Amino acid sequence: MYHDILIPTDGSAASTTALEQGVEIASGTGATVHLLHVVDVETEMAASGVGDIADDLTKTLDEEAREALNQAEKMADEAGVSAERVILEGFPEDAIQEYSDENGIDLIVIGESEDSTLSERLFGSTTEDVVQSATVSVLVARA
């Protein structure tokens, strides 16, 4: 049924829940999981005007991306699931949709925290944006 499953991850509890569910589905179907971390350009742009902090922030964001993908890849390996990992820069909701379209993704498994921030409640979350814009099925894993 599924051949390619996209699991965006940021290392949060919500994305870990999505990883668990996505890897379980892939294990049962023989699908490949695509582990995606998007470095949010809004975060980088916000720090760009603050001098030296921009370089430190970029290094920190890169480290967080590698750590999140290492954790995700370990989960897939332990389940015997084939995994591809990728880091992109951009607006997360756009990068997720573009990657899905360009890589023949059959299913997106994305986490959502029940402890959303005020900003997310007022303006919407990445998960909500992905659900609304996706051209494939989306499984929302709640943490």
Side-chain angles (χ1 to χ4, degrees):
M1 175 176 219
Y2 299 116
H3 300 286
D4 292 279
I5 300 172
L6 175 57
I7 310 171
T9 183
D10 61 7
S12 67
S15 67
T16 299
T17 300
L19 280 164
E20 291 167 352
Q21 292 182 26
V23 166
E24 184 174 338
I25 292 167
S27 178
T29 63
T32 297
V33 293
H34 297 250
L35 308 170
L36 173 64
H37 182 92
V38 181
V39 177
D40 190 342
V41 294
E42 283 185 311
T43 304
E44 288 185 318
M45 288 188 307
S48 66
V50 190
D52 293 338
I53 195 169
D55 290 338
D56 292 339
L57 179 61
T58 298
K59 288 177 189 173
T60 299
L61 293 173
D62 289 343
E63 287 173 18
E64 287 177 359
R66 282 191 302 278
E67 287 176 24
L69 289 172
N70 288 343
Q71 172 193 1
E73 191 169 43
K74 182 180 177 187
M75 289 177 71
D77 286 345
E78 289 173 353
V81 170
S82 175
E84 297 182 15
R85 56 187 277 165
V86 65
I87 299 173
L88 298 175
E89 284 192 10
F91 298 103
E93 59 277 5
D94 295 338
I96 292 166
Q97 183 60 50
E98 288 170 17
Y99 185 90
S100 175
D101 290 344
E102 292 171 4
N103 291 278
I105 299 300
D106 305 308
L107 174 68
I108 300 171
V109 181
I110 189 167
E112 181 175 67
S113 173
E114 292 184 23
D115 297 330
S116 60
T117 65
L118 177 60
S119 162
E120 288 172 337
R121 288 193 299 266
L122 290 174
F123 303 112
S125 67
T126 296
T127 300
E128 184 178 322
D129 291 340
V130 169
V131 168
Q132 290 179 358
S133 66
T135 57
V136 298
S137 295
V138 178
L139 171 64
V140 177
R142 301 208 190 276

